[in-house]
Amino acid sequence: MVDSCFSCEEAERSFQLFLSLVSLLSNSTMEVVHIVPWLVVLCSTMFLEHTSGSDTVNIGAIFTLGTVNGKVSEIGMKAAVDDINSDPSILGGHTLSLHIQDSNYNGFLSIMGALQFMEMDTVAIIGPQTSIMAHVLSHLANELHVPLLSFTALDPTLSPIQYPYFFQTAPNDLFQMAAIAEIVSYFRWTQVIAIFTDDEQSRNGITALGDKLAERRGKISYKAVLPPDIRGNFSVVKQELAKVKNMESRVLVVHTMVTYGPIILEAAEQLGMTGEGYVWIATAWLPANLDYNPDPDIYKKTQGVITLRPHTPDSKRKKEFIARWKNLSKGSTGLNVYGLYAYDTVWLLARALNVFLLQGNNISFSNDPTLTAVGGGSMNLSALSIFDGGSELLKLILETNMTGLTGPIWYNPDRTLVNPSFDVINIVGRQMKQIGYWSNYSGLSVLAPEILRESPQNRSGASQKLYSVVWPGGTKKQPRGWVFPRDGRKLRVGIPRRVSFTEFVYQDNQTHAIRGYCIDVFEAAVKLLPYAVPYEFIFFGDGRKNPSYSELVTRISTGEFDAAVGDIAIVTNRTMIVDFTQPYADSGLVVVAPVKKITSNAWAFLRPFTPLMWAVTAVFFLVVGAVIWILEHRLNDEFRGPPGKQIMTILWFSFSTLFFAHRENTVSTLGRMVLVIWLFVVLIIQSSYTASLTSFLTVQQLTSSIKGIDSLITSTAPIGYQVGSYAENYLNEELNIPRSRLKPLNSPEEYAFALKTGRVAAVVDEQPYVDLFLSSYCQFAVAGQEFTKSGWGFAFKRDSPLALDMSTALLQLSENGSLQNITELWLKKKNACQSQAVSDSEQLKLDNFVGLFLICGVACIMSLIIYFSLMLYKFHQHHLPQHSEPSVQGNSRSARLKTFWSFVDKKEDMSQRKLKRKRISASMPTHGSELMGAESAGKSSKSADFSSYRGDNRNSVVWS
């Protein structure tokens, strides 16, 4: 049970705390007139009469009651306490007692108020109102185990790991900043300017905004930091906003407290910054102000502003509470969303306390030994007590699941509220027009978050949608979000002063106008932009040699140029320091080498194959013919006869397969298998030869010792490159070609002279330059294929909005055909040489067919192995058993080998093979006598065969 009366011991403890405060204040340098109000507040609180009896549960609240949120929060909390105390089902008959401390914009009073609540045995504190005090008081809450609940201190850095007893009962600013970042991305802006007061909550919120923008490739281009308290500092606000006015970005995000927001908007209005072309995005302070007091003056200053308000679903309870509000506030204030959160926060705490008491826990306090030991002098810190049930109440708050006026309320494992969402509002006239919603689940949508949660999650770009917006100035046309800085300076565009290939960029000697292919493309793209771009061209280079394009790009990052226009290749190291547009021309590297035309002659038919290919093919013709002869010799009469005839048969059969005109039939299974594989190989070889020969005889052929970049890398020959091109670094750094081999060349004339005289073996340059060079010098050609993929683009400062807009314009030029027309005008010369190139591979090599020859060779070897294995088996079965006599066993090895070759050479008796087949087919006898008769006949036949063989063997000849 709670003892709410001041016992003698408690009175003494309170008095000691009072003396400690007096001692602390008296030792300070503050004036007495400032100390007296604090003492009055302390005394009134310390000796507050507690009339609720022994069943009272004390909770505290710390707010600045003179502010908008302070006023509505006080009314909402008191209404919740009244409803809880009138409900007998809550707290088991205990009475909830709320004590509110007015911090009056003073951090010290907030600390003292918290200390007083600790001395009064308070089980929880609602507040503080600001994040900076939340950081301070959370340490006290951690020490004394008193939960601290706030719906206005929404700093994202108030980590539950560092402050386990601190709860945010409204969505913190991390989600609000995620919503703003998604809005910025939805309208395709990339840069914003943040305007905020230099307090803990605003500063950390803007940091979170920067992180969320970076996730969507956006950024905060400038932070306009205002003093923590701008009341009375109007001139400082105007001075800072005047800086913002002269900047490029026109998307302005204002994050501050409810009290300070109207001051910033008033300064912006006086500077003319609330008109057309500006985008203003305000955080939740604006709807909180307008809901509290719909001041026409504030509406006037905020026309076209986009703002966010924490989303609270419609419900019967919410409507009933809104209807009660006029009576609760006595018509003094309007209801904003923080009044709803104040009401729900008290109910959240009450429900947790209800479970706490139902579980049989007692509300008790004990001294903190740590604080007792720290005391000294007149300070009596032992008056502060630890709430013994604090850790259990903390656990129950996290487990509470309820539905309040603001919707479902419970905590995720990371201590954030479930389903954070916001209303997206556009200020139009005298109303806050809702144009959509944002939720952590579905992003931007015109449907309420509670409806979308019933469907599968979809965060795709197509699902993101808002209703139309009326922007500042009353226009419905979306602002582009940026302008050129208002300093009277034109866009400084650097262009290369080329001394060769001037078709791309040059200055007319008579009119001094800047002309060229790249200039025409740039000017055509600028004309397609929806706004005017004042610019001036500035040459870069000494005029004696082509400038370094990497150095030109670097001058953009140093601020000398705002952009660079020309034949600038988009390569990796340059994209790290500037932004490029969409490529408007392809510019991969190619190899140019001297060539000579190949003319046809009497031996042109041999050119398709290399000598090695011819030799291997001829050998395989002979090998396959010999293998077929071996496999067919014993069975096929067409492969028998005198030795001369059989040699001619082998040669004729081999080469006749080239035309599929062989007249000899194959009867053995192995022979047929080898022949099928060989005919397939011949088909492939014949087709490849025909196609290659046709190409040689009908297409102009060029030859060069350089076949492409690979042959250049493996050689030691010098290589030419254009001065200023990225080719030098690419060849050295990417392909590891020594710089000693690289020779700088400055013009097409130098290219031709160096290639003719042998100073360089080849020139490596970008495709557009090579095309122009070859249009005048036909004795050279591209060797191999393009070995890099790159393009030319216009360079701008990092994160410049012009890069994106110019990319869009270049795409339009490509789609409507204007880009092609400009290309043909400048780069397609009349009487140009016919397109010619050196092929990397002119003849068919053995490597192209090694797989086919391997398959055929394996088939031949396997067939011979199988064939001779069968011959050995038959020889062993039919011949060796008959030579068991001593005289025969004494024969020499050569005689046995001669006998074996005679056996192999002897034509197989086909009648005996047919007889065997008949016997096998009749191998299902019905009588035993028939079986015995067959066996007897078989033996007689064997004996006759062997006798015949022995007779033949006496005069056997290998070739029969």
Side-chain angles (χ1 to χ4, degrees), residues 89-104:
S89 65
I90 300 297
L91 297 181
H94 291 74
T95 301
L96 190 66
S97 180
L98 173 68
H99 306 284
I100 301 178
Q101 170 70 49
D102 186 2
S103 61
N104 196 25

Side-chain angles (χ1 to χ4, degrees), residues 816-862:
N816 62 28
S818 299
L819 185 59
Q820 181 65 23
N821 294 336
I822 297 173
T823 303
E824 292 180 355
L825 174 65
W826 287 98
L827 304 184
K828 301 297 182 183
K829 287 192 173 184
K830 296 180 179 180
N831 301 323
C833 299
Q834 294 181 353
S835 177
Q836 51 189 16
V838 178
S839 174
D840 287 336
S841 178
E842 296 177 350
Q843 292 179 304
L844 296 174
K845 304 180 180 63
L846 178 62
D847 296 342
N848 304 123
F849 303 94
V850 66
L852 288 172
F853 286 131
L854 182 62
I855 293 172
C856 185
V858 170
C860 292
I861 293 172
M862 293 300 298

Side-chain angles (χ1 to χ4, degrees), residues 390-412:
S391 59
E392 182 64 22
L393 181 59
L394 169 72
K395 178 182 176 183
L396 293 174
I397 292 174
L398 288 173
E399 294 176 351
T400 299
N401 187 337
M402 60 172 277
T403 299
L405 301 180
T406 58
I409 301 173
W410 70 86
Y411 286 95
N412 291 314

